[in-house]
Amino acid sequence: DAVVSPNFIGGMRLVSEMIRPAAVEFLDRMLRDHDHNLRVDEAGIPEGSALAGKTLAGSGVRETGALVIAVRLPDGRYVYKPSGDLALPAGSFLIVIAQSADLETLRRHLASASK
């Protein structure tokens, strides 16, 4: 469940446009660029995964082409810009920037490690 306030979102957007216009423009272009199809998305590490407990560097995730920008741990905490030695517990989510094809590769990689 979530509460969405259009007034708050609009206000935050206006402020963002004023104080970091290049970053806002980058995100807008990234999300609308049909040639590169980059997205910010998530992929979970399910219970029973062979990747559970492995480090980010040892998981093979980086070879999928997805750029891991954060990890949401099972307790709800986020690790931003995670290092390669971060252990990935089951139930965590990788927050990534990836092209659609790379995201599918990442999800296949995570699913194959869960069998």
Side-chain angles (χ1 to χ4, degrees):
D1 293 331
V3 175
V4 177
S5 169
N7 290 337
F8 180 77
I9 292 169
M12 291 297 292
R13 174 62 187 237
L14 289 171
V15 170
S16 292
E17 287 279 358
M18 290 187 302
I19 62 174
R20 51 184 161 277
V24 171
E25 180 184 5
F26 166 76
L27 291 171
D28 284 346
R29 286 185 182 205
M30 179 187 78
L31 294 173
R32 291 187 195 127
D33 188 338
H34 298 291
D35 294 331
H36 294 99
N37 201 20
L38 283 173
R39 296 289 175 259
V40 176
D41 212 321
E42 64 183 52
I45 299 175
E47 295 295 329
S49 174
L51 297 180
K54 288 193 176 182
T55 63
L56 183 57
S59 69
V61 166
R62 289 185 169 161
E63 286 75 33
T64 66
L67 174 64
V68 179
I69 58 175
V71 175
R72 183 180 176 271
L73 300 173
D75 65 5
R77 290 180 298 133
Y78 283 87
V79 177
Y80 303 102
K81 204 174 96 176
S83 67
D85 63 353
L86 176 70
L88 300 172
S92 57
F93 283 86
L94 307 175
I95 310 301
V96 301
I97 295 178
Q99 292 186 4
S100 296
D102 294 337
L103 186 57
E104 288 305 314
T105 301
L106 172 63
R107 290 196 169 127
R108 280 193 310 273
H109 177 69
L110 294 176
S112 68
S114 298
K115 294 179 181 177

